[in-house]
Amino acid sequence: MSDISKNLQQQIVSACEEKRALRIAGGNSKTFYGNTVVGEAINISGHRGIINYAATELVITARSGTPLQEIKAALAEHRQMLAFEPPQFSDSATIGGTVACNFSGPRRAYAGAARDFVLGCNIINGKGELLSFGGEVMKNVAGYDVSRLMAGAMGTLGVITEVSIKVLPVPEIEITLAFECSARKALDDMHRWSRLPLPISASCYDGDRLFMRLSASENAVDAARKQMGGEKVAAAKDYWKKIREQQHAFFNSDKPLWRLSVASNAPPMHIDGKCLYEWGGALRWLESDESATEIRKQARAAHGHAILFRDMEGTANGEKFHPLSLGLQRIHKNLKTAFDPAGILNPGKMYPEL
Amino acid sequence: MSTLNTHAVDKQKLIKQLQHIMPARAVLHQREDLRPYECDGLSAYRELPLVTVLPETLEQVQAVLKYCYQHEIPVVARGAGTGLSGGALPHADGVLLSLARFSQIIDIDAERRIARVQPGVRNLAISQVAEKFGLYYAPDPSSQIACSIGGNVAENSGGVHCLKYGLTVHNIQQLTLLTIEGELLSIGGGGLDCAGYDLLALLTGSEGMLGVIVEVTVKLLPIPERAQVILAAFDDVAKAGAAVGDIISAGIIPAGLEMMDRLAIQAAEDFVHAGYPANAEAILLCELDGTNEEVSSHVAEVREILKISGATEVRTARDAAERALFWAGRKAAFPAVGRISPDYYCMDGTIPRKQLPHVLKTIASLSKEYDLPVANVFHAGDGNLHPLILYDANKPGELERTEEFGGKILELCVEVGGSITGEHGVGMEKINQMCVQFKALELSQFHAIKHAFDEKALLNPGKAVPTLHRCAEFGAMHVHKGELPFPELERF
Ligand SMILES: Cc1cc2nc3c(=O)[nH]c(=O)nc-3n(C[C@H](O)[C@H](O)[C@H](O)COP(=O)(O)OP(=O)(O)OC[C@H]3O[C@@H](n4cnc5c(N)ncnc54)[C@H](O)[C@@H]3O)c2cc1C
Ligand SMILES: Cc1cc2nc3c(=O)[nH]c(=O)nc-3n(C[C@H](O)[C@H](O)[C@H](O)COP(=O)(O)OP(=O)(O)OC[C@H]3O[C@@H](n4cnc5c(N)ncnc54)[C@H](O)[C@@H]3O)c2cc1C
């Protein structure tokens, strides 16, 4: 438990005065993600501790450097959870880094992303101002929703120092059903089921089999299982952990790993390589040597975008994220200026101009 | 307050120009034609715009914005005008831009469970059309028969089912926005997230300050197999408040969890005869939905919890008709209160749930102090209070006393860690309380965000975020002039 926000603020104030770039480091579990930042490290991991957690209020507030593990453990004691099921990628992952990347796991399509559960944030902007937005209440429309804007901004708009997150009860029971099928059939089935009031909480097609997780009361899960068929998977918890943490055999490759966020019912893409489907078809992991131009073209045609998630060769620096339209580029630059006029916070982490 | 319009707008020239852009019938400028637009749902605030326009095409909206941008004329967007914070209150020197004619549901993609709609589409109309696909749009403000989806996005509206299904921000996927320059931006994407910053979140709840929403893609959900409502009566408001926490700690998230106090119960009962227990100090309505099996087990569990929490009576609706009746009283609570008092003022604060007993007690004593009765109706599950202050605008001084009382309630919400608005927005109404909720630095950050979208401050000027100057006058905050980071921001 320690509060080093004054210290962090001081570092940012002087970096701003001297126009020195800062590289924001949480647990360093996700440094592979995004473009390389050249700058002096500002380390958040010492800023840790759960500040407030009342199970009946369904909210937890923690300093941003608090390890994700510590938060999950505290919630588990009250049979609650982070419903966006964030990946950790390493034991050192922090809650601040998780929110900054808006990382969400298998439950995302059914419960929401990290950004959906963010209720409030304290941040230090690029001028070194400590600001507080949102709060611990479920509904709050006073002022612009800066807290959610921080989710996925990858530190380029501010250093998150504290975050309040809505939490949910752990479902009574979870089972996973598996179905052997083609990609086409898997997509069809996922869509057919998602239109019915079934307690689905995760879906994944790994190239051979479709896995569907059900979460609800025991009788509801049993009833859904009868309706859907399939085979009950024995070590289901481990399966979803491996998908979430990218430890599944699929991810064991030296090819570039692309993350495609597309219309869920887009047909399987014509790209050489392997594809793993999650989120009812809306998230596709692609291992391929195909050119960025081609992958982005197909992602766009499927109403989505593509991120180079892991770049094995390290040659694509600066171009990992999907290019923005000119209009959006302008708004992004203006927002960057609004929060970080000197351009010192994680410059280039997302886009070269931010 | 606004330094913007030191130059007088040439009204005749403006009308002529607007008539070039769209048919003359779509440009209203006579006093009597402008009357219907002088206020939104908060009728205590009124102002006539210079002109009201009712464009029908995207190109027309674009042309209006371009013209206003070029000539520095304020623009206020308006949906259905049901807002309760004066957000759509016109600007005396500006154009009121009604999106009412944009009322088409463009497409429902049942497979992806999304609907692409124009901004003027009524909230309820979406669910009505989606029903044939077994789908519905979850956020259900009580005004849903009238309010527009564009207004819902601008206010991040909620409803009784938000506890489980989230607010507008959780239920939309894509927006098309026109900037004040008339530039078309596509925000969000066809997938579940998008490239770059989460502008979808930033725009939701931005009260028409950042751009004009011209299309919305909403997410649809499968209609639950079964929904069942339980009514519980309590002889003590605090016990009812505690029961809310008990249900949630048992791991159950009801679809809706609403509370009414004695005065609200009586008013509703007299109006719709829902069969509410007449002597109760408070009632809870708890709706459980999901698969048939799950609802059955949750109904049994919740009934037990409510009894242990001290409910004097627990009823479960026997059938759909009784379920509708239980809800009828809650849904008609505002008009019901309207029947027992010449005027009422609806507040909208949020608090951490555990503060419910303390806040209700304090409101009760403020009610005595101001000599104005209060009926409480609220989204108890997410701590969103709607105290309705009963007053009579014809009695001199009573409106002012009511507003002061309302302000005190909002400040109380902030004091216990809550917010001055859960779903109705700041608009014109809560502009002073923003100075209590936020410090000068945060307000300056808001102004900087506004500047990123609307550098000339033409969209809905004077709303949602107070100038630091105004806060200094309000006395809630001390501004050291020399420290203002953006002196030019005064005009926002
Ligand atoms: C009886 C009653 C009950 C209500 N119950 C609820 C409730 O349960 N929950 C709740 O959340 N609200 C409730 N409200 C408030 C209100 O209905 C909502 O705020 C609603 O979303 C407003 O929609 P509207 O179309 O009427 O918007 P308007 O009142 O016309 O406008 C509201 C704001 O949105 C902006 N705006 C409108 N359209 C656009 C657009 N296309 N682009 C950009 N900006 C735009 C306006 O400038 C304004 O700032 C209630 C109101 C009434 C009268
Ligand atoms: C397949 C199915 C579909 C349904 N679909 C709908 C629907 O779409 N909409 C809808 O509104 N309803 C629906 N119902 C509910 C139905 O109309 C009855 O209300 C319901 O079956 C009653 O069962 P329950 O377990 O909920 O008991 P309750 O609703 O709790 O009980 C019904 C009555 O019995 C009494 N009671 C029950 N249990 C207790 C107890 N433990 N202690 C004291 N008194 C008790 C209560 O006073 C209550 O008035 C559905 C029911 C089924 C089985």
Side-chain angles (χ1 to χ4, degrees):
Chain A
M1 283 294 278
S2 55
D3 179 354
I4 59 163
S5 53
K6 285 277 167 284
N7 183 324
L8 295 173
Q9 192 177 4
Q10 200 39 57
Q11 286 181 64
I12 297 174
V13 167
S14 49
C16 177
E17 279 163 7
E18 296 155 26
K19 292 203 188 304
R20 272 186 289 114
L22 293 174
R23 180 172 59 80
I24 308 166
N28 274 326
S29 63
K30 308 182 225 315
T31 33
F32 67 87
Y33 182 61
N35 301 309
T36 311
V37 174
V38 182
E40 184 187 323
I42 173 165
N43 200 317
I44 316 297
S45 61
H47 186 58
R48 65 163 71 182
I50 294 171
I51 294 169
N52 187 23
Y53 171 43
T56 54
E57 300 287 319
L58 296 178
V59 57
I60 189 164
T61 297
R63 296 196 183 99
S64 53
T66 312
L68 201 49
Q69 266 184 343
E70 189 178 324
I71 294 195
K72 286 185 180 174
L75 295 176
E77 270 179 42
H78 294 267
R79 279 194 60 78
Q80 292 187 337
M81 62 176 186
L82 295 174
F84 52 98
E85 216 175 349
Q88 275 180 235
F89 297 135
S90 132
D91 290 349
S92 63
T94 63
I95 187 67
T98 300
V99 170
C101 293
N102 192 29
F103 272 178
S104 312
R107 208 179 301 270
R108 191 270 174 256
Y110 310 93
R115 61 85 94 168
D116 290 302
F117 291 91
V118 171
L119 299 175
C121 272
N122 287 358
I123 65 162
I124 305 172
N125 68 12
K127 291 184 279 183
E129 296 166 348
L130 186 57
L131 309 171
S132 177
F133 298 102
E136 294 192 322
V137 287
M138 297 296 146
K139 294 165 84 174
N140 190 345
V141 290
Y144 304 119
D145 197 344
V146 175
S147 318
R148 285 201 171 87
L149 180 65
M150 292 300 134
M154 301 194 72
T156 60
L157 298 178
V159 171
I160 301 171
T161 58
E162 233 175 85
V163 54
S164 297
I165 295 179
K166 179 181 177 178
V167 298
L168 285 180
V170 173
E172 267 169 64
I173 200 164
E174 282 191 335
I175 65 160
T176 296
L177 305 174
F179 307 79
E180 235 163 90
C181 61
S182 69
R184 188 63 263 182
K185 173 86 166 70
L187 282 173
D188 285 348
D189 281 348
M190 284 192 277
H191 283 92
R192 188 163 51 84
W193 287 323
S194 84
R195 284 178 60 181
L196 302 173
L198 294 166
I200 300 169
S201 69
S203 54
C204 179
Y205 177 72
D206 62 12
D208 298 312
R209 288 198 292 170
L210 170 64
F211 292 80
M212 301 293 293
R213 186 175 65 190
L214 303 172
S215 310
S217 64
E218 189 165 358
N219 52 6
V221 165
D222 283 347
R225 186 185 167 188
K226 285 200 190 89
Q227 201 175 336
M228 293 168 68
E231 213 172 290
K232 191 172 161 186
V233 176
K237 236 190 153 99
D238 187 54
Y239 176 81
W240 292 110
K241 177 168 180 268
K242 284 188 167 140
I243 293 292
R244 188 186 74 213
E245 301 296 337
Q246 302 193 341
Q247 293 159 353
H248 184 276
F250 169 88
F251 295 99
N252 199 357
S253 156
D254 48 14
K255 285 197 189 339
L257 176 67
W258 288 84
R259 176 191 187 279
L260 276 65
S261 172
V262 294
S264 58
N265 64 349
M269 316 219 162
H270 296 288
I271 299 176
D272 266 348
K274 286 193 302 172
C275 186
L276 181 133
Y277 300 72
E278 279 195 83
W279 300 1
L283 179 68
R284 303 183 187 188
W285 298 101
L286 177 70
E287 272 163 6
S288 172
D289 287 319
E290 185 54 88
S291 74
T293 317
E294 180 58 26
I295 291 172
R296 295 217 152 103
K297 197 176 110 193
Q298 294 211 25
R300 225 177 347 253
H303 308 286
H305 67 108
I307 293 173
L308 180 51
F309 199 80
R310 283 185 201 262
D311 169 25
M312 300 308 167
E313 280 119 47
T315 52
N317 196 35
E319 295 163 12
K320 293 193 175 178
F321 293 93
H322 203 91
L324 302 170
S325 69
L326 286 176
L328 285 180
Q329 275 180 37
R330 181 175 66 84
I331 298 288
H332 275 69
K333 269 190 265 180
N334 289 351
L335 279 172
K336 173 75 177 176
T337 308
F339 281 89
D340 177 21
I344 56 162
L345 298 177
N346 267 359
K349 180 81 186 167
M350 287 180 94
Y351 294 98
E353 66 275 17
L354 300 183
Chain B
M1 188 177 65
S2 161
T3 58
L4 181 71
N5 299 292
T6 41
H7 70 288
V9 179
D10 181 342
K11 182 170 172 176
Q12 291 316 315
K13 196 176 141 208
L14 172 64
I15 293 168
K16 234 198 205 129
Q17 199 59 42
L18 292 169
Q19 285 171 341
H20 278 305
I21 296 174
M22 66 191 95
R25 63 183 153 77
V27 182
L28 310 180
H29 52 87
Q30 305 285 0
R31 237 186 139 67
E32 62 275 18
D33 294 336
L34 294 174
R35 274 281 171 239
Y37 299 94
E38 71 179 343
C39 66
D40 60 9
L42 182 68
S43 54
Y45 294 67
R46 290 169 194 268
E47 185 84 77
L48 284 179
L50 270 188
V51 185
T52 294
V53 291
L54 295 148
E56 287 175 13
T57 68
L58 188 70
E59 292 69 30
Q60 290 169 356
V61 180
Q62 213 160 12
V64 171
L65 291 171
K66 280 183 179 160
Y67 183 82
C68 291
Y69 177 71
Q70 203 184 347
H71 295 86
E72 310 209 339
I73 299 167
V75 178
V76 177
R78 178 183 170 106
T82 68
L84 290 173
S85 57
L89 180 75
H91 193 288
D93 297 316
V95 171
L96 187 77
L97 173 61
S98 166
L99 283 307
R101 297 270 161 86
F102 289 84
S103 56
Q104 294 296 309
I105 294 181
I106 303 164
D107 179 40
I108 291 197
D109 184 337
E111 187 168 55
R112 281 163 73 195
R113 287 190 285 112
I114 53 175
R116 210 151 64 80
V117 305
Q118 290 188 326
V121 167
R122 290 175 305 112
N123 173 296
L124 187 61
I126 303 174
S127 292
Q128 284 167 340
V129 174
E131 194 185 351
K132 61 172 172 284
F133 303 103
L135 302 170
Y136 77 113
Y137 176 61
D140 56 343
S142 307
S143 52
Q144 71 182 147
I145 50 167
C147 64
S148 75
I149 192 73
N152 290 176
V153 174
E155 300 286 12
N156 191 17
S157 294
V160 299
H161 288 98
C162 285
L163 178 58
K164 183 166 175 183
Y165 297 107
L167 306 156
T168 304
V169 70
H170 303 106
N171 289 280
I172 59 174
Q173 184 164 318
Q174 213 165 355
L175 290 180
T176 309
L177 185 82
L178 277 175
T179 66
I180 183 66
E181 294 94 342
E183 183 172 12
L184 197 67
L185 298 179
S186 174
I187 285 162
L192 295 178
D193 45 39
C194 64
Y197 296 146
D198 195 340
L199 300 183
L200 199 63
L202 187 62
L203 282 156
T204 309
S206 64
E207 303 196 26
M209 302 281 291
L210 305 181
V212 176
I213 298 154
V214 290
E215 194 182 298
V216 186
T217 301
V218 302
K219 297 180 188 170
L220 303 173
L221 290 176
I223 297 172
E225 189 176 7
R226 177 179 166 199
Q228 185 105 36
V229 61
I230 300 176
L231 185 158
F234 291 85
D235 57 12
D236 175 8
V237 178
K239 279 189 204 162
V244 170
D246 295 341
I247 293 171
I248 285 165
S249 4
I252 297 172
I253 305 292
L257 191 50
E258 299 284 305
M259 186 163 152
M260 291 164 76
D261 74 356
R262 190 184 189 89
L263 189 51
I265 299 168
Q266 282 169 356
E269 192 49 32
D270 291 346
F271 186 28
V272 298
H273 312 292
Y276 290 166
N279 301 318
E281 284 300 319
I283 59 167
L284 278 184
L285 287 171
C286 175
E287 181 154 294
L288 298 158
D289 72 4
T291 62
N292 183 40
E293 296 77 11
E294 190 163 38
V295 173
S296 291
S297 47
H298 281 169
V299 164
E301 262 183 87
V302 168
R303 291 179 61 92
E304 264 326 289
I305 294 167
L306 288 167
K307 282 180 196 154
I308 294 168
S309 312
T312 51
E313 188 182 346
V314 180
R315 293 187 212 161
T316 308
R318 274 181 300 268
D319 49 32
E322 195 173 14
R323 172 177 169 234
L325 191 62
F326 283 4
W327 277 119
R330 164 63 186 88
K331 293 204 168 161
F334 291 10
V337 167
R339 284 172 81 241
I340 61 167
S341 170
D343 298 284
Y344 68 89
Y345 186 35
C346 172
M347 308 305 300
D348 165 47
T350 57
I351 55 167
R353 244 184 333 255
K354 60 172 182 261
Q355 298 285 354
L356 213 64
H358 165 67
V359 168
L360 289 176
K361 241 178 36 211
T362 313
I363 292 178
S365 63
L366 283 169
S367 165
K368 285 213 186 79
E369 189 184 321
Y370 282 90
D371 193 22
L372 294 165
V374 177
N376 280 294
V377 178
F378 41 92
H379 309 301
D382 32 36
N384 189 184
L385 313 177
H386 288 317
L388 305 173
I389 306 174
L390 280 53
Y391 73 102
D392 182 350
N394 286 328
K395 289 191 187 152
E398 210 160 288
L399 172 63
E400 291 69 25
R401 228 167 63 236
T402 301
E403 286 192 308
E404 193 185 311
F405 179 10
K408 282 276 181 319
I409 294 178
L410 298 182
E411 286 160 34
L412 173 64
C413 291
V414 176
E415 198 183 293
V416 301
S419 163
I420 57 169
T421 171
E423 56 183 18
H424 294 168
V426 173
M428 207 53 227
E429 179 202 20
K430 275 162 277 195
I431 198 99
N432 286 339
Q433 278 73 36
M434 282 291 280
C435 315
V436 180
Q437 180 100 57
F438 293 103
K439 301 186 301 272
L441 287 177
E442 283 129 12
L443 294 173
S444 297
Q445 187 66 72
F446 288 145
H447 288 307
I449 292 171
K450 164 85 170 161
H451 193 76
F453 284 82
D454 176 17
E455 50 170 348
K456 294 188 189 174
L458 296 170
L459 288 167
N460 223 356
K463 310 272 181 69
V465 185
T467 59
L468 302 185
H469 183 71
R470 183 177 181 123
C471 286
E473 274 181 359
F474 180 62
M477 167 175 110
H478 191 63
V479 182
H480 304 285
K481 278 264 175 203
E483 289 178 10
L484 284 185
F486 292 108
E488 79 277 14
L489 291 176
E490 273 300 275
R491 64 183 185 182
F492 280 83

